[in-house]
């Protein structure tokens, strides 16, 4: 082989990946979204809007180089299973999965389509990834709470309601992702002089209201509303039950307080959705979820709804109001 021909082959081989990447950039990519909340939920629209804006800032525009496929209300396990199967059948290039039920369903439905999750508690304990640093499969994303968040919830409830003696956590008993936080609550509750119990909320048909009323028959009770998708979707039922029984309650996300919940301490979920766009972008550009570390939250916020607190007959300490990111009058 002549030297000129050999050199030409080398140059062509070196240039090929760049040309291939340029070609792939012109292909319309398909992004699936399994949203935990229903489409008419304002919080769902806010989060997805932030995600879409993040993608656009990275060069991905709907109708030009990406197509978005949505399935709403995937926070309920049965709906999540149905939607996961539908989503896998259309073969998207990557799927954004909001919440544990969506990720659990997708993990069963596919081991090849890349999945980026948002708002999942303890993804290692739940079996979604091998480790936070090296997920190892087709799934990675953004986790929410470390177990020690439970101690902060107890502390804040006790500060607002010093007479508190009993706390019930509203949760789904089948929600494995909450095991670590529940363990922390069990360990720490006695240090605050609190008796800990749980109220099961597994399906929309559960009589949550009667369970809360039964818990409230004894004085000195309060509620911890666990960050499950079901609790978020049916948050107004929880607000009504807590108010009717005059129970102080703490919630995990800001929108609970703006919608009527008494107090929130938790992560900035909007920030997680904004950051998730970067991971979806990296997957679309060829990176593997196995090599993208699971990201922890970096922004936390305390929000107090003073109107609800006053309705419950509670005086929120001034120092707590001063350190809150937001006080809703």
């Amino acid at each position: 082989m002549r030297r000129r021909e050999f050199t030409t082959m080398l140059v062509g081989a070196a240039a090929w990946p760049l040309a291939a990447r340029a070609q792939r950039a012109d292909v319309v990519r398909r992004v699936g979204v399994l949203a935990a909340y229903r489409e008419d939920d304002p919080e769902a629209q806010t989060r997805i809007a932030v995600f879409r804006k993040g993608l656009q800032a990275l060069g991905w525009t709907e109708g030009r180089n990406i197509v978005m496929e949505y399935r709403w209300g995937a926070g309920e396990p049965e709906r999540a299973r149905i939607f996961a199967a539908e989503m896998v059948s259309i073969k998207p290039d990557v799927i954004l999965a909001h919440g544990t039920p969506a990720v659990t369903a997708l993990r069963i439905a596919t081991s090849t389509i890349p999945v980026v999750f948002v708002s999942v508690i303890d993804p290692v304990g739940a079996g979604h990834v091998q480790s936070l640093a090296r997920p190892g499969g087709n799934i990675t994303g953004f986790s929410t709470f470390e177990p020690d968040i439970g101690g902060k919830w107890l502390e804040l409830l006790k500060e607002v309601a010093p007479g508190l003696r009993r706390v019930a956590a509203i949760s789904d008993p089948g929600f494995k992702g909450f095991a670590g936080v529940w363990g922390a609550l069990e360990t720490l509750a006695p240090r605050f002089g609190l008796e800990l119990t749980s109220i099961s909320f597994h399906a929309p048909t559960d009589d949550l209201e009667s369970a809360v009323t039964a818990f409230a028959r004894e004085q000195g009770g309060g509620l911890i509303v666990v960050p499950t998708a079901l609790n978020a979707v049916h948050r107004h039922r929880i607000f009504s039950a807590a108010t009717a029984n005059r129970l102080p309650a703490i919630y995990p996300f800001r929108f609970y307080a703006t919608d009527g919940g008494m107090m929130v301490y938790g992560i900035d979920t909007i920030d997680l959705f904004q950051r998730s766009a970067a991971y979806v972008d990296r997957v679309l550009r060829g990176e593997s979820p196995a090599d993208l570390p699971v990201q922890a939250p970096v922004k936390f916020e305390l929000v107090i709804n003073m109107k609800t607190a006053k309705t419950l007959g509670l005086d929120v300490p001034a120092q707590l109001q001063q350190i809150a990111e937001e006080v809703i009058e």
Side-chain angles (χ1 to χ4, degrees), residues 36-248:
Y37 308 156
R38 296 181 184 271
E39 188 173 5
D40 59 358
D41 190 319
E43 184 64 21
Q45 291 298 330
T46 298
R47 295 181 180 193
I48 297 304
V50 167
F51 170 66
R52 292 167 61 185
K53 185 176 180 180
L55 282 180
Q56 188 167 10
L58 293 166
W60 301 101
T61 303
E62 289 182 75
R64 183 171 64 83
N65 56 4
I66 58 167
V67 172
M68 305 284 283
E69 296 281 353
Y70 299 96
R71 295 296 185 275
W72 304 92
E76 297 172 12
E78 184 56 36
R79 291 170 65 90
R81 285 190 287 271
I82 294 170
F83 291 155
E86 291 180 3
M87 192 64 73
V88 169
S89 71
I90 63 178
K91 299 180 180 178
D93 296 287
V94 59
I95 301 172
L96 180 76
H98 175 205
T100 296
V103 183
T104 300
L106 285 169
R107 184 159 59 92
I108 295 170
T110 180
S111 60
T112 56
I113 298 175
V115 174
V116 174
F117 63 74
V118 184
S119 293
V120 170
I121 300 175
D122 191 11
V124 177
H128 301 318
V129 298
Q130 294 176 14
S131 72
L132 299 181
R134 301 286 294 180
N138 64 312
I139 299 174
T140 188
F142 297 79
S143 63
T144 51
F145 301 102
E146 295 297 321
D148 58 6
I149 191 75
K152 193 64 178 180
W153 289 336
L154 294 171
E155 177 188 343
L156 289 167
L157 266 182
K158 189 75 173 182
E159 192 166 350
V160 171
L164 205 67
R165 299 193 306 273
R166 307 163 56 246
V167 175
I170 300 178
S171 183
D172 178 354
F175 182 34
K176 296 179 181 179
F178 188 60
V181 179
W182 176 257
L185 286 171
E186 283 187 311
T187 299
L188 296 170
R191 302 182 190 180
F192 293 95
L194 297 171
E195 174 190 336
L196 180 66
T197 187
S198 64
I199 293 176
S200 174
F201 189 30
H202 177 68
T205 53
D206 289 350
D207 192 352
L208 173 68
E209 292 77 6
S210 293
V212 173
T213 299
F215 169 75
R217 289 192 184 117
E218 187 178 332
Q219 296 292 315
L223 300 174
I224 291 176
V225 180
V226 173
T228 67
L230 192 64
N231 283 348
V233 170
H234 297 276
R235 57 190 179 272
H236 291 283
R237 290 176 61 185
I238 299 174
F239 299 157
S240 296
T243 301
N245 291 282
R246 298 182 67 80
L247 292 172

Side-chain angles (χ1 to χ4, degrees), residues 280-303:
V280 169
D281 169 67
R282 291 173 69 174
V283 170
L284 289 174
R285 297 183 189 279
E287 293 190 56
S288 169
D291 301 324
L292 298 176
V294 174
Q295 298 289 318
V298 295
K299 294 183 179 180
F300 290 79
E301 50 194 359
L302 172 64
V303 184

